[in-house]
């Protein structure tokens, strides 16, 4: 009886198929990407630019040392207290706002703060300055930034609820779903201009 020979398999074509499958999965697979913290870098000022004079009371100093300890206005603070402290500073409304188009915006008529003469004049003048150390943990820095963003979110939600009967979060969602809606756009701009997000990152200090 003749012995049956096992047919050979052309492995070359299998390699081509595996390569095509690899390309297919690389093209179609989606990967989760961390969004991080949204930051808009300022443009380089012209050579003849003269920086405006900023009153010390309009600057809210937040420092994170190399031991990941939080100091606000020179005093130690628990990070859980930071949001409320930032809200109090931003919403103080103790003076006049910025001059826009040659006209002063006047006092803040929507602020609900203490209107202290030793704190910020107006939300559009309130600057939060964050300075970390080169030895600060990145996680701690992120937590601090999140608490500051929560302060703005709380104030914007409150004002938006008063003016438009919805939270700012809901308003932004509605506008993102209908970018051509001019009315929604004006409302979003109105709330953002009332409580502009002004967070400045100072140059980190060097750890010894």
């Amino acid at each position: 009886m003749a012995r049956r020979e096992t047919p050979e398999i052309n492995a070359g074509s299998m390699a081509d198929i595996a390569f095509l499958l690899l390309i297919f999965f690389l093209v179609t697979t989606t990967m989760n990407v961390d969004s991080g913290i949204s930051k808009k870098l300022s443009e380089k000022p012209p050579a003849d630019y003269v920086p405006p004079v900023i009153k010390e009371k309009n600057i809210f100093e937040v420092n994170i040392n190399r031991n990941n300890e939080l100091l606000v206005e020179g005093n130690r603070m628990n990070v859980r207290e930071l949001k409320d402290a930032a809200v109090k500073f931003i919403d103080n409304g103790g003076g006049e706002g910025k001059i826009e188009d040659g006209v002063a915006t006047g006092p803040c008529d929507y602020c609900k703060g203490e209107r202290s003469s030793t704190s910020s004049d107006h939300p559009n003048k309130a600057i939060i300055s964050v300075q970390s150390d080169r030895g600060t943990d990145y996680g701690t820095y992120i937590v601090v930034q999140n608490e500051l963003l929560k302060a703005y979110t709380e104030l914007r939600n409150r004002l938006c609820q008063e003016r438009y009967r919805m939270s700012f979060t809901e308003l932004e969602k509605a506008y993102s779903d209908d970018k051509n809606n001019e009315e929604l756009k004006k409302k979003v701009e109105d709330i953002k201009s009332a409580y502009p997000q002004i967070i400045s990152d100072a140059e980190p200090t060097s750890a010894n």
Side-chain angles (χ1 to χ4, degrees):
M1 185 175 177
R3 192 174 188 181
R4 297 180 63 182
E5 295 183 359
T6 305
E8 293 183 359
I9 299 175
N10 186 356
S13 60
M14 292 183 67
D16 292 338
I17 293 172
F19 182 69
L20 290 172
L21 287 172
L22 176 61
I23 293 176
F24 173 78
F25 286 119
L26 286 174
V27 172
T28 59
T29 302
T30 58
M31 298 182 184
N32 292 328
V33 179
D34 293 334
S35 59
I37 296 178
S38 177
K39 288 285 185 181
K40 183 178 180 181
L41 299 178
S42 59
E43 298 179 359
K44 184 178 180 180
D48 58 348
Y49 174 73
V50 179
V53 177
I54 301 174
K55 296 178 183 178
E56 186 175 346
K57 69 175 184 174
N58 285 323
I59 301 177
F60 187 69
E61 294 186 358
V62 178
N63 294 280
I64 317 167
N65 64 21
R66 71 193 68 176
N67 298 319
N68 298 309
E69 296 170 329
L70 182 65
L71 290 90
V72 178
E73 300 287 88
N75 300 312
R76 290 197 179 188
M77 178 179 289
N78 190 297
V79 71
R80 290 189 296 270
E81 303 172 309
L82 180 59
K83 177 182 70 71
D84 290 340
V87 166
K88 183 178 179 180
F89 167 76
I90 299 166
D91 203 39
N92 179 63
E96 299 285 325
K98 288 182 178 179
I99 296 177
E100 298 177 356
D101 299 326
V103 180
T105 55
C108 180
D109 57 2
Y110 51 84
C111 291
K112 301 188 186 307
E114 298 177 353
R115 303 192 184 278
S116 169
S117 60
T118 60
S119 189
S120 71
D121 288 322
H122 194 281
N124 63 26
K125 282 186 175 181
I127 300 171
I128 296 180
S129 174
V130 180
Q131 184 174 50
S132 58
D133 189 275
R134 296 192 187 279
T136 301
D137 288 345
Y138 184 67
T140 303
Y141 174 82
I142 293 296
V143 169
V144 168
Q145 290 282 349
N146 282 339
E147 291 301 310
L148 295 175
L149 293 177
K150 285 179 185 178
Y152 284 103
T153 299
E154 180 177 310
L155 291 170
R156 288 176 173 181
N157 280 340
R158 186 192 73 194
L159 182 62
C160 193
Q161 192 70 48
E162 292 175 355
R163 292 183 177 180
Y164 306 119
R165 299 294 183 267
M166 66 170 65
S167 69
F168 185 66
T169 303
E170 294 170 331
L171 177 61
E172 278 195 312
K173 177 63 170 59
Y175 178 57
S176 67
D177 294 339
D178 186 7
K179 287 290 187 179
N180 296 321
N181 192 317
E182 288 297 321
E183 183 180 355
L184 290 176
K185 181 181 178 181
K186 289 179 181 179
K187 289 179 179 179
V188 169
E189 292 175 348
D190 175 44
I191 300 300
K192 282 186 174 181
S193 63
Y195 286 111
Q197 184 180 300
I198 312 174
I199 302 177
S200 170
D201 283 300
E203 183 70 22
T205 57
S206 299
N208 295 323

